[in-house]
Structure formats: C-alpha cells, structure tokens
Amino acid sequence: MALLRRELHRQVTGPEITNLDCCTLVFDTDAKNLYVEREMAHLDVTVAGAIEIQTATMDIADYLKQGGQTAGHRELWRLLRTLFKETVDTDELIH
C-alpha cells in the first residue's frame, strides 16, 4: 500500500511535558482514498519518559468542520483552492 503524505500542521509544546499535535493529508493510492490523519503524542519526562500516542483518521469535510481555524485548516484550504483554481484567459474577457 503506497501512501502519499503532505503535512498540514505540526505543533509541539514542552519542555517537561511535551505534546505533539500533527495533521497530515494522506492519499492511499491503492484504496483511492483521501483523508486527514491526526497524530497526538504526549511525553511526560517526569514519569520516566512515559509516552502516549494516538492516531485518528477523518474525512476531509469532518476535519474542516472541527472548531476553530488552525494553521492546518488554513493549509488545507490553500491546497484545495490551488487544486480547483480556474485559469482564465484574459483575451476571452476582453471580447
């Protein structure tokens, strides 16, 4: 299975308790499926380096409906606008 990935957003906070929140646009070339993968990791160095990782996948529309407009949302909107950008021939507008 080949997965094409493009990172949309990554946020890391720390230092003693480190949190990672990363959203990635993923295209599964075998299943012909496009979705957003969100990985959240929590590292607590005060508890002998305990780490907890959660990964969730969601439909693009569900991702965009989530509350707030994060940097990940803005990057996905930018990519979508680029994909669907119409090229206009300026000569056609004059005539």
Side-chain angles (χ1 to χ4, degrees):
M1 170 170 65
L3 299 176
L4 304 176
R5 298 174 173 272
R6 174 150 186 157
E7 188 173 288
L8 298 172
H9 174 67
R10 174 180 298 264
Q11 180 178 7
V12 179
T13 59
E16 287 187 19
I17 297 177
T18 302
N19 293 299
L20 166 71
D21 187 359
C22 182
C23 293
T24 306
L25 183 63
V26 180
F27 180 62
D28 181 336
T29 59
D30 291 339
K32 309 296 188 260
N33 190 21
L34 183 65
Y35 58 92
V36 174
E37 181 178 88
R38 183 172 185 188
E39 181 180 10
M40 295 164 284
H42 176 81
L43 170 64
D44 190 343
V45 295
T46 62
V47 185
I51 188 166
E52 178 184 345
I53 299 173
Q54 296 177 356
T55 302
T57 60
M58 65 190 85
D59 183 69
I60 292 173
D62 291 338
Y63 175 72
L64 290 173
K65 289 178 189 174
Q66 288 182 341
Q69 285 295 311
T70 66
H73 288 96
R74 288 188 296 275
E75 176 62 8
L76 182 53
W77 279 118
R78 187 192 68 74
L79 289 170
L80 291 171
R81 278 193 294 277
T82 301
L83 284 173
F84 294 102
K85 183 178 179 180
E86 293 183 29
T87 56
V88 178
D89 186 358
T90 55
D91 289 337
E92 289 179 14
L93 295 174
I94 295 172
H95 300 289

